[in-house]
Amino acid sequence: MAKKAVSVLGTKTKHGLRRVRSHVKPVAKKTAAVSVIVARHTKKGAKLVHHHVAVRPHNHLMKKDGRYKKWHEWRFHHHVHYSGLTVFTILVLLLVAVNVRNALAASDLNDSWDFTSSAPYTIDPGIETSGSVARLKAQNYTSDANTVALYHLDETSGSTAADSSANANNATSTNSPSFGTGNLNNGATFDGVDDTLKVADSVPLSFNFANSLEAWTKFDTAFSNNSNDNRQTILDKGSYK
């Protein structure tokens, strides 16, 4: 059974006598009354803040600033005001949505992936996996309009290395370098003494402008200042010294 609070109220009659009334009220009602009082004070405080932050500055500007007054007296003022507020609200919601999406996506950065079984995944042909690592497969370069010569060295035998560009600058071997399995398809092996692949001069190979020359190599031993007496030339273009 709920406890009850008793309050005694005294009032004076017209003859000067005091009449006493007692009221029995549940404690729950008293708590509700306190909540109502707090709500009223909160509402009053909000009105007070609105008055000092919005109403007073507005009234001051209406008196002192003619342009401000003219703007607020314009009949389409409310339409423009609410349209701008709507656009602002949409932008805020979009910003919140983007941040929430980024926050949810950030958790994937810490995930561990197991590629030992490919059943849960669809892996593109250009991707290779190993344990928890996925990476792009090494692929041969492709020729474009700026390529003057491109040698994949995918031959298996013979004395010619085909040029994969459109310029047919095929290379001819000297002293029989061999072709065999490389890191990507095949590759050419040189003895480090006199094995070479040579290409005859041609108009596309006459470099009179900026060029990039690149070669992928793997050496049998590490280099040091005493590792080899001979210069280990990888790529050379004519007599330019």
Side-chain angles (χ1 to χ4, degrees):
M1 180 176 180
K3 293 183 178 180
K4 306 205 172 171
V6 178
S7 62
V8 178
L9 301 177
T11 58
K12 289 184 179 181
T13 65
K14 62 180 180 178
H15 301 292
L17 299 176
R18 184 177 297 277
R19 184 172 59 193
V20 177
R21 293 182 300 167
S22 63
H23 296 274
V24 179
K25 299 179 180 179
V27 175
K29 289 187 178 181
K30 187 175 182 180
T31 305
V34 173
S35 300
V36 171
I37 293 173
V38 171
R40 286 176 180 173
H41 281 289
T42 304
K43 187 176 181 180
K44 185 177 180 181
K47 286 184 177 180
L48 186 64
V49 171
H50 178 262
H51 175 75
H52 288 284
V53 173
V55 176
R56 289 188 63 184
H58 170 74
N59 293 337
H60 175 76
L61 290 173
M62 288 291 286
K63 294 177 181 179
K64 301 294 184 180
D65 193 333
R67 291 173 298 179
Y68 182 85
K69 181 179 180 181
K70 186 176 181 180
W71 160 251
H72 277 269
E73 290 177 346
W74 184 41
R75 64 187 182 125
F76 296 111
H77 163 258
H78 291 291
H79 298 81
V80 177
H81 178 80
Y82 289 118
S83 297
L85 182 62
T86 301
V87 172
F88 175 77
T89 304
I90 292 173
L91 291 176
V92 171
L93 291 175
L94 287 175
L95 182 62
V96 171
V98 169
N99 283 309
V100 169
R101 185 190 65 178
N102 291 339
L104 294 176
S107 61
D108 291 340
L109 298 177
N110 299 320
D111 290 343
S112 297
W113 302 89
D114 183 8
F115 297 111
T116 54
S117 173
S118 60
Y121 313 102
T122 300
I123 301 176
D124 291 339
I127 303 293
E128 61 184 4
T129 61
S130 176
S132 60
V133 176
R135 56 178 176 262
L136 293 174
K137 287 183 179 179
Q139 301 181 49
N140 279 330
Y141 285 108
T142 56
S143 177
D144 58 25
N146 297 314
T147 306
V148 297
L150 177 60
Y151 305 97
H152 295 309
L153 305 180
D154 285 340
E155 288 76 14
T156 57
S157 61
S159 59
T160 302
D163 177 15
S164 296
S165 75
N167 300 305
N169 290 308
N170 295 332
T172 302
S173 64
T174 302
N175 297 320
S176 302
S178 60
F179 295 100
T181 302
N183 186 54
L184 176 61
N185 301 325
N186 284 352
T189 301
F190 304 88
D191 62 5
V193 179
D194 56 5
D195 286 1
T196 61
L197 284 171
K198 292 185 178 181
V199 183
D201 193 18
S202 65
V203 174
L205 293 178
S206 297
F207 297 159
N208 55 5
F209 43 84
N211 289 271
S212 296
L213 288 79
E214 181 179 352
W216 288 82
T217 61
K218 180 181 179 181
F219 296 92
D220 290 337
T221 58
F223 283 108
S224 69
N225 58 338
N226 297 316
S227 62
N228 204 305
D229 294 333
N230 298 323
R231 300 177 106 180
Q232 298 297 302
T233 302
I234 299 172
L235 187 62
D236 194 6
K237 175 62 173 76
S239 178
Y240 56 87
K241 301 180 182 64

